[in-house]
Amino acid sequence: MILDMLPILSGASQQIDFDFVFTPDADSLLVAVYSDVDFTEPITVKGYVKNMAGYMFLSADVKVTYHTVCARCAEPVSSTLEISFEKDIASSGDVSDENDDYIIIEDKKLDLLPAVEEEIMLEMPSRTLCKEDCLGLCQKCGKNLNEGDCACEKKEVDPRLAILKTLLQ
């Protein structure tokens, strides 16, 4: 989403509101980093850019609904992530292009998508669980322990100490 910053830069307006939805492209950085996450529903972004006596900032609310699998039991999980963030804005000549603290205005236009994707990547959980107390899978038979116990033996003797068991007989 490219936002025309001319009304703020010319002084005609102090605030520009925006509201848009997008679905990450198959070749986007968001899809590449989260290859196990399916962004099937559009991501909604609402917010504004405000100018306060030469200090410009972006305020946005992002809602991401995604589908993935539980990191413990591999069951499908749908989750929603809601993010609110603010980011400072600067003109291209004011700060270095390598400064990550600012979104840079180039040719009187502001590209909102990289900043939104960056915030999503910072806030996405590193692993998603179907529920907080998910028991996962049995390490021996692979049964989902959330559905009940398996028939596997719970106490396993360390094979290095198995020879000592013969002394008890």
Side-chain angles (χ1 to χ4, degrees):
M1 167 73 183
I2 306 293
L3 194 62
D4 183 16
M5 296 295 291
L6 191 59
I8 285 182
L9 294 174
S10 67
S13 174
Q14 294 299 314
Q15 182 171 317
I16 300 173
D17 296 326
F18 57 85
D19 184 357
F20 67 95
V21 296
F22 75 97
T23 302
D25 297 330
D27 59 344
S28 73
L29 182 61
L30 198 59
V31 172
V33 170
Y34 295 101
S35 58
D36 59 333
V37 175
D38 189 15
F39 297 100
T40 53
E41 296 184 31
I43 297 171
T44 61
V45 182
K46 295 179 182 180
Y48 59 88
V49 173
K50 191 168 191 169
N51 183 12
M52 296 183 356
Y55 168 71
M56 292 183 285
F57 69 95
L58 163 92
S59 179
D61 297 318
V62 182
K63 184 176 180 185
V64 182
T65 302
Y66 61 94
H67 308 283
T68 187
V69 294
C70 177
R72 290 185 187 158
C73 69
E75 291 293 319
V77 177
S78 294
S79 187
T80 301
L81 177 67
E82 293 186 15
I83 306 166
S84 294
F85 71 95
E86 288 187 355
K87 199 91 166 159
D88 296 331
I89 301 172
S91 298
S92 59
D94 295 344
V95 295
S96 169
D97 290 340
E98 297 173 9
N99 191 338
D100 292 338
D101 295 335
Y102 295 94
I103 304 173
I104 308 297
I105 299 173
E106 295 181 15
D107 298 327
K108 298 180 183 171
K109 303 217 182 296
L110 184 65
D111 190 2
L112 299 175
L113 209 50
V116 170
E117 285 184 334
E118 177 185 350
E119 289 298 323
I120 292 171
M121 286 190 284
L122 289 172
E123 295 293 327
M124 282 283 285
S126 58
R127 58 186 211 158
T128 304
L129 301 177
C130 59
K131 57 185 179 178
E132 201 60 39
D133 59 343
C134 177
L135 299 174
L137 302 175
C138 174
Q139 294 180 9
K140 289 183 179 180
C141 67
K143 180 180 180 188
N144 187 344
L145 296 175
N146 294 317
E147 298 170 357
D149 288 336
C150 62
C152 296
E153 188 176 324
K154 301 297 179 215
K155 288 186 175 181
E156 188 173 315
V157 178
D158 188 344
R160 298 171 293 179
L161 302 175
I163 194 71
L164 295 177
K165 191 174 185 180
T166 60
L167 292 174
L168 297 175
Q169 295 175 353

